[in-house]
């Protein structure tokens, strides 16, 4: 008997030791492996397919136009990005690793792009991962055929993902794209952000505990690999901050705190000349309320080195300026919550309303309830992007449509009008003597910002969970474990306040409004470039000239030129000096309507299983019938001519609206001039939006508000990113569009 008890004790001890070893091993990533970048399976597209694309553009172009229009995506993530790896976890509905090779095959066969760039978050790119990125992009290019007429041009890049907690410290995200693929013309390291706030991906990353691997045992290896990924990233040593970039060793993580630091390292020290492209400027998911473009226009931040801007992506539209305020900031820096205006309720105000309603329901005195509501509003502002935490146990639906631009086209979540593209174009930085003004001269692009290695996802509005970043827990159990903090009943009517240090210690997914944002995530947009050929050099030259435009994902064709009195012709993105308004010429042609399935070249290039898994069984498959352009809207902006000038009257969003007549070829052509330009005697810029006939688009009506008799949203019916909404749901009619780059007109008394 005693021997049996001893044997049982030994067995239990062994089991306990084994369980402990498993727990430690799972926690510390011992079982995890680092993944490679996959295998490119597709081959070069037949030359006749590429020739047919070019012929279709030529047939639609204005007479005498020799340049091609090429479509691409300059913002693509794989599971080399920590947030992309997190989205790929099975408990969040992911399908596991999305390697870089998938992006190559997707761009070539699924979305049928002409060019693309990989832009994983630099904060996740270790030395070995950077080498893998470069080698895989080169491999993708080797498949592409002739360097003068390739089927696909692939660019190497990374994302500098800066996030500041306050308006004074926030500069936002930038993609860095290199022209060439050879080692001497690419940065030896991806350069990440610096500082205590870190980037978005860093803020939401959280380790998977051993309980996750046990709870989803069939997928345990993915969680082990994720933890190993985090450990390998953290183990990369930091580069010496005082050593110039061109003298640093290869095996360290390089950081830049501000845009000027990024520019200095790349341009001045490494002697490289990449494109640096801001994006997500109005995304309130992380951008603090009250942020403006003012500090980014300081000449010390090198604003001339940012020639393009991403106006639209799968994270929403950042184009439109609105005069309402998401926060009021006094001259001494104190924040206060503005009252609602027609069509807009600040998030801080809604926080107070929720607390007020709960407080009254609990039978607390009116004065005390009003006091608590005021505290909730202030707490919301003081916690910036984590303001929602002031309301304990709040459900996403309770926020209604607060914080949203309710009359914008597919707007970014928790919209920040002060950092919209229109606000940036209207803002000037003046020298101390006010004699010189610094302004942005941006060309426009759009991209996908897809985190599943899928460039150019907007060609069809299908498979929402793969072609957008909408994601979430796969069931109620995981939702409770990952998202809502524990709340006691007596906390419900009482607002809470968290310091920045306390917020930093919370699990990452709790510090942001991830569930609510999922309803605003879209299929991606496209970057279009007017190029003198299909080569890498021709595409790069077109982008460098800013002869680019953005689309909401459809391959709309757009031409926009200004012709001066002397006959000088300046295309979109260009600049001219004039005393009189030039004549502006516009031509837009609708995108080809899509057929179901995939074209023959895609079926020949990828096997059926890969088409099903990578392309969701649906590829860019144009018919020979084009959608109609229904109208063209002209935007006029007069940049500030004096410090402090109000932006609202300077931005004329619908300066001219031209209604288009139906046409057999889906085209619309018109010209205009601006007699007010000469009278105003000040600089101005103009761009156009070509609006296409409505079609169903993913998350085009993200909240589906039910409104009362006064038009106020009283209930929302959200499209969830998790188990509560299917992959085929959540479409609503919207008007696809293309945004031209502006033509910039400098007023002069001569000529």
């Amino acid at each position: 008997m005693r021997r049996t008890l001893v044997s049982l004790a030994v067995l239990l001890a062994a089991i306990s030791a084994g369980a402990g070893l498993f727990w430690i091993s799972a926690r510390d990533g011992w079982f995890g492996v680092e993944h490679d970048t996959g295998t490119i399976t597709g081959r070069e597209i037949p030359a006749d397919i590429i020739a047919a694309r070019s012929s279709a553009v030529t047939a639609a172009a204005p007479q005498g136009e020799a340049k091609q229009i090429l479509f691409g995506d300059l913002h693509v993530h794989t599971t080399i990005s920590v947030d992309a790896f997190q989205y790929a976890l099975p408990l969040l509905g992911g399908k596991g690793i999305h390697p870089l090779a998938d992006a190559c095959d997707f761009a070539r066969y699924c979305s049928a792009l002409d060019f693309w760039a990989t832009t994983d978050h630099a904060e996740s790119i270790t030395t070995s991962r950077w080498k893998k990125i470069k080698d895989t992009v080169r491999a993708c290019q080797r498949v592409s055929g002739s360097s003068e007429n390739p089927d696909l041009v692939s660019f190497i890049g990374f994302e500098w993902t800066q996030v500041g907690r306050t308006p004074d410290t926030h500069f936002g995200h930038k993609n860095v794209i290199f022209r060439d693929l050879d080692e001497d013309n690419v940065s030896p390291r991806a350069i990440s952000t610096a500082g205590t706030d870190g980037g978005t991906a860093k803020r939401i990353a959280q380790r998977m505990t051993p309980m996750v691997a046990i709870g989803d045992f069939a997928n345990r290896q993915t969680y082990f690999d994720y933890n190993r990924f985090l450990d390998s990233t953290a183990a990369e040593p930091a580069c010496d901050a005082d050593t110039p970039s061109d003298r640093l060793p290869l095996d360290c993580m390089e950081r830049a705190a501000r845009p000027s630091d990024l520019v200095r390292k790349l341009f001045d020290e490494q002697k490289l000349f990449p494109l640096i492209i801001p994006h997500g400027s109005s995304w309130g998911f992380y951008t603090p309320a009250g942020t403006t473009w003012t500090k980014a226009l300081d000449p010390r931040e090198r604003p001339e080195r940012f020639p393009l801007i991403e106006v639209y992506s799968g994270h929403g539209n950042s184009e439109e300026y609105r005069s309402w305020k998401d926060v009021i900031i006094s001259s001494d820096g104190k924040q206060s919550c503005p009252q609602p205006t027609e069509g807009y309720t600040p998030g801080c105000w809604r926080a107070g309303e929720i607390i007020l309603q709960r407080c009254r329901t609990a039978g607390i005195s009116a004065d005390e309830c009003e006091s608590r509501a005021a505290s909730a509003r202030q707490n919301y502002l003081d916690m910036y992007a984590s303001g929602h935490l002031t309301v304990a146990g709040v459900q996403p639906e309770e926020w209604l449509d607060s914080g949203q631009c309710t009359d914008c086209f597919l707007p970014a979540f928790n919209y920040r009008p002060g950092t919209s593209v229109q606000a940036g174009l209207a803002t000037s930085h003046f020298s101390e003597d006010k004699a010189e003004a610094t302004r942005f001269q941006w060309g426009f692009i759009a991209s996908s910002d897809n985190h599943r290695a899928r460039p150019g996802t907007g060609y069809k509005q299908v498979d929402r969970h793969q072609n957008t970043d909408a994601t979430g827990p796969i069931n109620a159990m995981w939702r409770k474990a990952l998202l809502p903090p524990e709340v006691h009943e007596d906390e419900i009517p009482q607002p809470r306040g968290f310091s920045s240090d306390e917020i930093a210690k919370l699990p990452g997914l709790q510090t942001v409004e991830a569930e609510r944002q999922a309803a605003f995530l879209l299929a991606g947009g496209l970057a279009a470039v007017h190029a003198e050929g299909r080569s890498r050099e021709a595409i790069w030259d077109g982008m460098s000239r800013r002869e680019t435009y953005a689309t909401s994902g459809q391959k709309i064709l757009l031409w926009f030129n200004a012709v001066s009195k002397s006959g000088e012709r300046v295309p979109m993105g260009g600049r001219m000096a004039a005393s009189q308004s030039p004549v502006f010429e516009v031509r837009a042609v609708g995108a080809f309507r899509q057929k179901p399935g995939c074209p023959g070249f895609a079926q020949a290039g990828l096997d059926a299983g890969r088409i099903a898994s990578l392309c969701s069984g649906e590829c860019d498959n144009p018919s020979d019938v084009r959608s109609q352009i229904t109208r063209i809207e002209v935007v006029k902006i007069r940049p500030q001519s004096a410090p402090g000038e109000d932006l609202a009257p300077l931005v004329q969003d619908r300066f001219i609206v031209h209604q288009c007549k139906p046409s057999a070829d889906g085209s619309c052509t018109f010209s205009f001039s601006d007699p007010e330009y000469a009278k105003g005697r000040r600089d101005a810029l103009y761009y156009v939006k070509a609006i296409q006939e409505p079609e169903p688009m993913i998350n085009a009506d993200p909240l589906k508000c039910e409104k009362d008799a006064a038009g106020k949203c009283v209930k929302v019916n959200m499209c969830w990113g998790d188990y509560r909404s299917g992959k085929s749901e959540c479409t609503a009619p919207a008007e696809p569009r293309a945004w031209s780059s502006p033509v910039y007109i400098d007023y002069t008394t001569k000529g």
Side-chain angles (χ1 to χ4, degrees):
M1 182 68 177
R2 183 177 180 183
R3 182 178 296 176
T4 301
L5 291 174
V6 170
S7 298
L8 182 59
V10 171
L11 178 61
L12 291 174
I15 292 172
S16 178
L21 181 62
F22 174 85
W23 186 275
I24 294 170
S25 301
R27 181 196 65 194
D28 295 344
W30 295 2
F31 299 142
V33 297
E34 182 89 7
H35 288 266
D36 61 24
T37 53
T39 302
I40 299 167
T41 62
R43 307 263 61 89
E44 180 187 0
I45 296 172
D48 62 318
I49 301 296
I50 302 302
R53 288 184 197 170
S54 298
S55 296
V57 174
T58 300
Q63 186 174 5
E65 178 58 63
K67 295 182 183 123
Q68 300 186 40
I69 293 178
L70 304 176
F71 293 97
D73 187 349
L74 297 174
H75 193 171
V76 183
H77 295 274
T78 74
T79 37
I80 288 174
S81 292
V82 65
D83 53 346
F85 204 148
Q86 189 177 73
Y87 301 160
L89 297 176
L91 65 86
L92 291 176
K95 296 182 178 180
I97 301 301
H98 299 293
L100 187 52
D102 282 4
C104 177
D105 282 343
F106 191 95
R108 179 172 276 116
Y109 288 103
C110 304
S111 53
L113 298 182
D114 301 303
F115 61 94
W116 73 287
T118 178
T119 56
D120 278 307
H121 293 290
E123 60 205 348
S124 301
I125 302 178
T126 62
T127 302
S128 61
R129 293 171 192 156
W130 188 228
K131 183 180 186 303
K132 290 176 183 178
I133 288 171
K134 293 184 289 185
D135 289 346
T136 305
V137 173
R138 290 163 184 155
C140 186
Q141 194 61 54
R142 285 195 294 272
V143 177
S144 299
S146 163
S147 62
E148 290 302 313
N149 195 44
D151 70 331
L152 179 68
V153 173
S154 304
F155 292 99
I156 295 169
F158 64 81
E159 179 175 326
W160 183 76
T161 319
Q162 194 269 351
V163 175
R165 185 172 179 272
T166 67
D168 289 341
T169 60
H170 181 80
F171 288 95
H173 299 187
K174 324 281 188 232
N175 284 329
V176 177
I177 314 292
F178 300 96
R179 191 189 80 160
D180 299 310
L181 302 182
D182 57 288
E183 204 67 29
D184 290 343
N185 289 306
V186 177
S187 176
R189 292 159 302 278
I191 302 174
S192 66
T193 187
T196 56
D197 289 330
T200 302
K202 180 179 178 181
R203 293 171 71 189
I204 70 170
Q206 59 190 94
R207 292 180 65 83
M208 295 294 112
T209 68
M211 284 304 299
V212 172
I214 294 170
D216 188 13
F217 197 71
N219 294 304
R220 62 192 179 280
Q221 189 60 49
T222 302
Y223 305 114
F224 297 154
D225 295 347
Y226 176 71
N227 283 350
R228 170 58 66 90
F229 176 91
L230 295 180
D231 290 342
S232 298
T233 305
E236 188 86 350
C239 296
D240 179 61
D242 297 324
T243 301
S245 186
D246 57 331
R247 299 179 188 174
L248 289 170
L250 296 179
D251 57 346
C252 62
M253 187 77 77
E254 187 171 6
R255 295 183 170 91
R258 302 171 69 92
S260 54
D261 296 323
L262 182 66
V263 170
R264 170 178 52 79
K265 288 173 175 290
L266 291 167
F267 285 79
D268 302 342
E269 295 172 1
Q270 295 185 20
K271 302 297 189 291
L272 299 174
F273 299 92
L275 290 172
I276 308 181
I277 307 172
H279 68 265
S281 59
S282 288
W283 301 354
F285 186 59
Y286 59 78
T287 303
T291 306
T292 71
W293 288 104
T294 303
K295 61 185 178 301
L297 271 171
D298 187 321
R300 292 171 294 186
E301 294 300 337
R302 313 286 290 274
E304 75 281 0
R305 293 301 189 186
F306 303 89
L308 303 176
I309 190 166
E310 184 182 287
V311 301
Y312 178 94
S313 77
H315 287 65
N317 178 20
S318 291
E319 177 216 0
E320 300 172 65
Y321 176 71
R322 294 292 182 269
S323 59
W324 42 257
K325 301 293 184 183
D326 43 16
V327 63
I328 297 172
I329 302 177
S330 65
S331 58
D332 59 358
K334 292 182 179 179
Q335 298 186 114
S336 60
C337 185
Q339 293 195 9
T341 56
E342 185 177 356
Y344 178 72
T345 301
C348 55
W349 191 267
R350 180 59 188 159
E353 286 185 319
I354 296 171
I355 289 293
L356 188 63
Q357 181 180 15
R358 291 178 175 184
C359 187
R360 288 171 174 170
T361 301
I364 299 170
S365 71
D367 288 346
E368 176 62 20
C369 288
E370 289 293 347
S371 176
R372 292 185 183 187
S375 295
R377 296 183 187 114
Q378 193 61 48
N379 290 353
Y380 185 100
L381 296 175
D382 292 343
M383 290 191 288
Y384 297 97
S386 298
H388 61 288
L389 294 175
T390 193
V391 184
V394 68
Q395 296 302 305
E397 306 98 308
E398 294 182 76
W399 294 104
L400 300 176
D401 62 353
S402 64
Q404 312 312 321
C405 185
T406 57
D407 63 345
C408 290
F409 171 73
L410 302 185
F413 172 69
N414 274 353
Y415 201 75
R416 306 299 191 216
T419 43
S420 65
V421 172
Q422 289 181 343
L425 291 171
T427 303
S428 301
H429 179 281
F430 294 93
S431 58
E432 290 186 5
D433 61 3
K434 303 178 185 178
E436 296 183 9
T438 301
R439 296 166 180 158
F440 292 117
Q441 185 180 343
W442 286 322
F444 291 173
I445 66 163
S447 292
S448 70
D449 195 8
N450 182 268
H451 284 64
R452 294 179 173 85
R454 286 164 163 80
T457 49
Y459 59 93
K460 284 179 180 173
Q461 304 292 309
V462 297
D463 199 352
R464 182 173 62 93
H465 288 309
Q466 292 301 315
N467 290 332
T468 80
D469 280 349
T471 190
I474 57 174
N475 55 43
M477 179 193 75
W478 284 120
R479 179 173 180 261
K480 183 177 181 180
L482 291 173
L483 291 170
E486 292 294 326
V487 178
H488 298 290
E489 199 64 33
D490 59 353
E491 290 183 295
I492 296 295
Q494 181 68 45
R496 303 181 300 178
F498 291 88
S499 69
S500 57
D501 288 341
E502 289 171 329
I503 291 171
K505 294 176 183 177
L506 291 171
L509 287 175
Q510 293 180 16
T511 66
V512 292
E513 292 189 80
E515 284 193 292
R516 195 165 169 235
Q517 186 199 224
F520 288 77
L521 296 174
L522 314 167
L526 288 175
V529 59
H530 289 258
E532 295 179 350
R534 293 187 58 86
S535 69
R536 175 180 303 277
E537 294 75 17
I539 292 171
W540 190 267
D541 288 347
M543 293 192 294
S544 299
R545 294 193 306 269
R546 304 174 178 84
E547 201 170 341
T548 59
Y549 65 92
T551 90
S552 54
Q554 299 76 8
K555 293 177 181 176
I556 299 168
L557 304 179
L558 181 61
W559 294 265
F560 178 52
N561 305 298
V563 182
S564 71
K565 186 177 180 181
S566 64
E568 176 189 8
R569 182 181 298 271
V570 173
M572 64 175 76
R575 188 173 216 107
M576 71 162 58
S579 60
Q580 302 290 323
S581 170
V583 174
F584 296 93
E585 302 171 334
V586 189
R587 178 171 172 81
V589 181
F592 286 119
R593 294 174 182 168
Q594 289 287 322
K595 298 184 294 184
C598 294
F601 79 84
Q603 297 179 49
L606 298 178
D607 64 47
R610 190 141 172 85
I611 285 178
S613 63
L614 185 63
C615 312
S616 302
E618 294 287 349
C619 308
D620 181 73
N621 192 13
S623 68
D624 57 1
V625 177
R626 291 188 179 273
S627 295
Q628 295 290 316
I629 300 296
T630 60
R631 68 185 184 278
I632 294 174
E633 298 178 358
V634 179
V635 179
K636 176 184 178 181
I637 297 176
R638 297 171 296 158
Q640 288 174 320
S641 59
E645 190 175 9
D646 184 17
L647 299 186
L650 305 181
V651 178
Q652 296 173 264
D653 189 54
R654 294 188 173 188
F655 177 62
I656 297 173
V657 178
H658 174 79
Q659 300 295 335
C660 301
K661 296 180 180 179
S663 63
D665 60 358
S667 68
C668 182
T669 302
F670 91 111
S671 61
F672 68 93
S673 61
D674 176 17
E676 297 300 316
Y677 169 77
K679 297 178 184 177
R681 302 177 66 84
R682 61 186 293 168
D683 302 341
L685 61 94
Y686 305 80
Y687 67 90
V688 297
K689 292 183 271 193
I691 314 297
Q692 190 172 281
E693 62 183 292
E695 63 181 59
M697 294 183 70
I698 292 171
N699 281 349
D701 186 9
L703 300 177
K704 300 181 179 65
C705 271
E706 296 178 18
K707 299 182 179 181
D708 62 14
K712 182 179 179 180
C713 182
V714 294
K715 182 181 178 182
V716 297
N717 301 280
M718 294 178 64
C719 188
W720 304 102
D722 59 25
Y723 62 93
R724 290 169 287 177
S725 297
K727 71 178 184 180
S728 300
E729 301 172 18
C730 308
T731 60
E735 295 178 302
R737 60 197 58 200
W739 298 260
S740 79
S741 289
V743 174
Y744 298 84
I745 313 295
D746 298 327
Y747 180 77
T748 178
T749 57
K750 301 176 182 179

